[in-house]
Amino acid sequence: MEDRGTEGVIRVQRRLLTLEAAHGARAVVPALRDAVRRVPELAREPASLRGQDRDLLAALAELCEVIGWLLFDAGLHGPARRANARALALADLCGDRWTGRLVLLNHSMLQTHTGRPRAALETASRVRGPRPLPPRIDALVLIRRAHATALLGGHREAAELIGRARGRFLDGVSRHDPPWAWWLDGTELLGHEGWVLARLRHWDRAIPLLQAAATAPGGPAYRDLFGAELLSALAGAGAWRDAEELLVDLADRAAHTGSARTVESLAATALRLRRRAAAPASLRDGAAHLLEVLSARERPPAARP
């Protein structure tokens, strides 16, 4: 069965987002193949769609953006890059600059995650245009730049960038914000601020921010990542008792974590703790148990939308 036309494409996008909200990105991977079957335009080269209805092209661009994001959070980086490229091409065809900017912000995050911080900075710089960005979007650009700069060793600059991001966020909502800007809320900002500071090993400042983000009620499934980064920060700071309490809680939930990024962060921290001679034996044992839980997870089949 195919979902044709703009409304059909929007229905497919909503189904994917509903599934992700309930079960996480990894659970959505099989549904992505179904999306390609339902929306035949996804199998065509974007250039071949030139001249199609603008609303349809815009809906396709948004759907590809969502697919790219889901593939990234599911740990399928190659397919995510291809989906992002398709989304950008479709957004260019219909002149949808805001969807194009969101794709660039997502792609910058993917590049940082895969160890390409210089490329991430270049991608983030493409979000800006001839007119000033609204505060929330400017804050997102600064967040992306802060993460990449921290990886490059620019400690002072990264701290300054994340501080500027908070300032821009506090400038408030603008009537020029695109519809997707809603997800940059106070919790998201806290999490990224703490994460950047943890990259800089500023444990005293990072840990309370990550704690606040990780324990905030509600929110999308991918925010479990802030809990994983909190565990990493506690391990880095040598806060063994707090790390052990959090590890027990995270191990109980790890088997159901839908974000591959969260799984990767938890596994990396658990490996470090197992080898950390200064860590208490009970914490090292807990880390070994967490690794067993994570290794028992069934990996989803590869997707090629």
Side-chain angles (χ1 to χ4, degrees):
M1 179 179 178
E2 294 183 354
D3 278 283
R4 290 198 172 275
T6 303
E7 291 302 318
V9 174
I10 293 171
R11 281 196 299 271
V12 170
Q13 177 182 324
R14 287 174 178 165
R15 279 196 292 268
L16 293 176
L17 290 174
T18 299
L19 184 59
E20 188 274 338
H23 303 290
R26 288 165 60 95
V28 185
V29 172
L32 296 180
R33 294 194 194 90
D34 183 59
V36 175
R37 287 193 295 268
R38 287 178 172 273
V39 183
E41 291 90 347
L42 291 178
R44 294 174 57 182
E45 287 299 318
S48 71
L49 299 172
R50 188 180 302 277
Q52 294 276 350
D53 177 72
R54 184 188 182 281
D55 289 343
L56 174 61
L57 291 173
L60 288 167
E62 290 181 15
L63 175 57
C64 285
E65 178 274 318
V66 167
I67 289 173
W69 155 254
L70 293 172
L71 288 167
F72 166 47
D73 204 37
L76 300 170
H77 301 148
R81 292 186 190 98
R82 293 193 289 274
N84 288 345
R86 182 181 295 273
L88 276 176
L90 289 165
D92 285 345
L93 280 178
C94 64
D96 187 349
R97 288 190 59 104
W98 282 118
T99 294
R101 283 169 167 153
L102 177 56
V103 175
L104 290 170
L105 288 165
N106 290 347
H107 199 62
S108 178
M109 182 166 47
L110 168 61
Q111 289 169 318
T112 295
H113 182 77
T114 54
R116 302 178 61 212
R118 294 191 188 281
L121 287 174
E122 192 278 329
T123 299
S125 72
R126 293 167 58 193
V127 177
R128 301 192 184 279
R131 296 181 180 178
L133 293 172
R136 292 287 166 97
I137 311 309
D138 197 23
L140 282 168
V141 173
L142 291 164
I143 288 169
R144 299 292 183 261
R145 290 175 58 197
H147 277 291
T149 302
L151 284 190
L152 289 168
H155 283 230
R156 181 177 297 179
E157 185 182 357
E160 179 187 343
L161 285 166
I162 200 64
R164 285 170 56 196
R166 168 165 287 281
R168 289 297 280 153
F169 176 83
L170 293 176
D171 285 340
V173 176
S174 163
R175 63 185 179 88
H176 300 295
D177 285 333
W180 49 261
W182 63 269
W183 56 264
L184 180 60
D185 58 11
T187 298
E188 189 79 9
L189 179 69
L190 282 173
H192 281 286
E193 188 174 5
W195 191 359
V196 169
L197 292 172
R199 290 187 190 275
L200 303 177
R201 303 177 67 82
H202 295 173
W203 309 125
D204 289 347
R205 296 170 60 196
I207 288 171
L209 295 171
L210 286 168
Q211 174 77 26
T215 57
Y222 68 81
R223 283 186 181 164
D224 286 347
L225 179 62
F226 294 143
E229 293 302 327
L230 173 60
L231 179 64
S232 177
L234 291 170
W240 306 131
R241 181 177 299 177
D242 290 340
E244 187 168 357
E245 290 179 2
L246 179 60
L247 190 149
V248 170
D249 178 57
L250 292 175
D252 288 342
R253 293 186 280 138
H256 308 291
T257 297
S259 166
R261 292 184 298 154
T262 301
V263 170
E264 290 168 11
S265 177
L266 289 174
T269 301
L271 283 170
R272 289 201 308 273
L273 286 171
R274 274 188 62 191
R275 299 165 181 164
R276 191 82 176 267
S282 57
L283 180 55
R284 296 199 304 273
D285 290 344
H289 171 65
L290 177 57
L291 286 170
E292 290 175 2
V293 172
L294 295 175
S295 66
R297 296 169 53 91
E298 182 179 349
R299 296 184 65 85
R304 295 183 179 276

